Amino acid sequence: MQLIKNLKWRYATKKYDNSKKVSEKHIDIIKEAIRLSPSSYGLQPYKIKNIKNAKLREDLKPLSWGQNQITDASHLFLFCNSIEVTDKDVDDFIKLKSSINKIPVEKLSSYGDFIKTKLSKKSEIEMFHWTAKQTYIALSNAINACAELEIDCTPIEGFEPEEYNFKLELNKEGLNACVLLAVGYRHNEDTAQQATKVRKGLNKIFEEI
Amino acid sequence: MQLIKNLKWRYATKKYDNSKKVSEKHIDIIKEAIRLSPSSYGLQPYKIKNIKNAKLREDLKPLSWGQNQITDASHLFLFCNSIEVTDKDVDDFIKLKSSINKIPVEKLSSYGDFIKTKLSKKSEIEMFHWTAKQTYIALSNAINACAELEIDCTPIEGFEPEEYNFKLELNKEGLNACVLLAVGYRHNEDTAQQATKVRKGLNKIFEEI
């Protein structure tokens, strides 16, 4: 099964071969996997910054526990979750749904109101973490897309979100630096590639009730 | 590409054919995809309850916005995130890593201390949401596993976590009801299967900087 094969193949790459670049054709496939990701109500409350500026990546490295992947991987994606989902965001979603599903907006308005009512019950902090969780679904699909393409990647939580937010002025866009994904090709000296995957046994994770 | 095919094939199933059961062989594959999921430091801070008791599923339905999938899907998985990750959890992980990677525990102790120090900096609420985000990676892999097996599923956030926690006494186990996944086969009358997927365009999600 491809998914199991992908999950077994991948590992959190520690050292990249910075001479090897991922093709734009492959990047487009990874982006499409992210774009097609499910999210609550289908709202996709996130944006992804493809950080191409080499100088900027150098500047971000000290804000990322000095990790080499920040500068050495072929690509660096910053997944940003939306700080809030506004009524306008819901209206935009309803308009998009109307257009794609060829249903008049008026027929979808009660659904839009339902979503708005549900979202209005979330506190500011709940909303923040809720959009972050949706973002992790997109992250997960990006990781799987890389694996299927035999491209290495490293999901990175080891960075200072507040420093990223300030440096990239993310809050002005209503965004928060949620998680990073370095993407590229492993260095042949990366010893992490030889380690057997460490996972709990099934009985430690699953229970029938 | 299998992943893109999976993402296009799947949809949030609204109505299940309750006469069709997913085979245990397939359930085992879905469980393995969950088990192999990446998580921060590899700590896998979650447990998944496979809710088989039909009476219990009836009881949970009113706590889940009355949604039919709770009772009609072949299987119902409740993904629970750990409320906290303790030093003992880290020690257990280090022991597991020691055993699998054949490295003496003493050689891993500084890594264990590093993880503990990092985790100690998270507030209670940050810890709670951080484990929930890891849980969503596992959820995402379960969704993809289903799709590759051409099994339908529905990720469900529409339930009352506090009511679930109380009913299932999850807090006693250090767990929180995070998200549900109904798994089964679509009813041929489920109109949701005909709807075109609604997703934002690439330019609404991605930006190069």
Side-chain angles (χ1 to χ4, degrees), chain B:
Chain B
M1 193 203 195
Q2 186 65 49
L3 176 64
I4 299 286
K5 198 179 148 195
N6 293 347
L7 287 165
K8 288 184 173 170
W9 183 86
R10 66 156 295 280
Y11 74 107
T13 302
K14 301 285 180 260
K15 185 173 174 152
Y16 283 90
D17 182 336
N18 63 12
S19 71
K20 292 187 186 161
K21 300 297 168 201
V22 177
S23 72
E24 284 308 306
K25 190 185 138 203
H26 282 161
I27 292 296
D28 286 347
I29 296 172
I30 297 165
K31 286 162 79 171
E32 186 64 359
I34 292 169
R35 195 184 73 88
L36 290 170
S37 293
S39 58
S40 190
Y41 303 111
L43 289 166
Q44 300 175 278
Y46 41 69
K47 281 195 179 158
I48 294 96
K49 308 273 184 182
N50 179 358
I51 307 180
K52 302 205 102 169
N53 184 317
K55 168 72 168 63
L56 179 56
R57 285 172 63 174
E58 282 291 346
D59 292 347
L60 292 173
K61 189 173 166 178
L63 314 181
S64 318
W65 306 3
Q67 294 182 84
N68 291 318
Q69 299 100 319
I70 300 295
T71 47
D72 292 354
S74 166
H75 287 68
L76 182 66
F77 291 106
L78 172 62
F79 287 70
C80 306
N81 60 307
S82 300
I83 293 169
E84 60 171 346
V85 176
T86 63
D87 282 0
K88 184 184 177 302
D89 293 326
V90 177
D91 289 338
D92 287 346
F93 166 73
I94 291 294
K95 277 181 214 159
L96 184 66
K97 187 173 171 63
S98 162
S99 149
I100 291 175
N101 292 162
K102 299 183 180 33
I103 303 170
V105 167
E106 308 80 61
K107 288 210 171 175
L108 293 169
S109 67
S110 64
Y111 181 55
D113 292 343
F114 171 78
I115 298 174
K116 287 176 191 173
T117 304
K118 286 293 179 189
L119 297 187
S120 71
K121 288 176 183 157
K122 290 188 195 291
S123 70
E124 213 172 288
I125 187 92
E126 281 169 350
M127 178 77 93
F128 179 89
H129 290 293
W130 171 72
T131 61
K133 288 187 291 188
Q134 313 308 318
T135 307
Y136 269 59
I137 297 176
L139 170 75
S140 180
N141 282 320
I143 295 169
N144 279 325
C146 288
E148 189 165 342
L149 297 167
E150 298 200 354
I151 293 168
D152 292 298
C153 70
T154 319
I156 300 175
E157 288 185 344
F159 67 98
E160 305 303 329
E162 287 307 324
E163 305 264 10
Y164 266 65
N165 289 343
F166 180 75
K167 171 106 188 145
L168 303 173
E169 299 187 323
L170 295 173
N171 290 357
K172 280 189 192 167
E173 293 180 70
L175 298 173
N176 167 66
C178 184
V179 64
L180 289 160
L181 188 70
V183 172
Y185 292 100
R186 69 187 72 177
H187 197 288
N188 56 21
E189 287 169 10
D190 185 9
T191 53
Q193 68 192 290
Q194 281 118 30
T196 307
K197 201 173 286 302
V198 178
R199 291 293 185 272
K200 292 177 183 175
L202 282 169
N203 64 337
K204 298 277 185 191
I205 305 180
F206 292 94
E207 191 197 358
E208 286 189 6
I209 59 173

Side-chain angles (χ1 to χ4, degrees), chain A residues 37-51:
Chain A
S37 294
S39 58
S40 190
Y41 303 111
L43 289 167
Q44 299 175 278
Y46 39 73
K47 281 193 179 160
I48 293 97
K49 308 272 184 182
N50 179 359
I51 308 180

Side-chain angles (χ1 to χ4, degrees), chain A residues 25-60:
Chain A
K25 189 184 138 205
H26 282 161
I27 292 295
D28 285 347
I29 296 173
I30 297 165
K31 286 162 79 171
E32 185 64 358
I34 292 169
R35 195 184 74 87
L36 290 171
S37 294
S39 58
S40 190
Y41 303 111
L43 289 167
Q44 299 175 278
Y46 39 73
K47 281 193 179 160
I48 293 97
K49 308 272 184 182
N50 179 359
I51 308 180
K52 302 206 100 170
N53 184 318
K55 168 73 169 64
L56 179 56
R57 285 173 61 175
E58 282 292 346
D59 291 347
L60 292 173

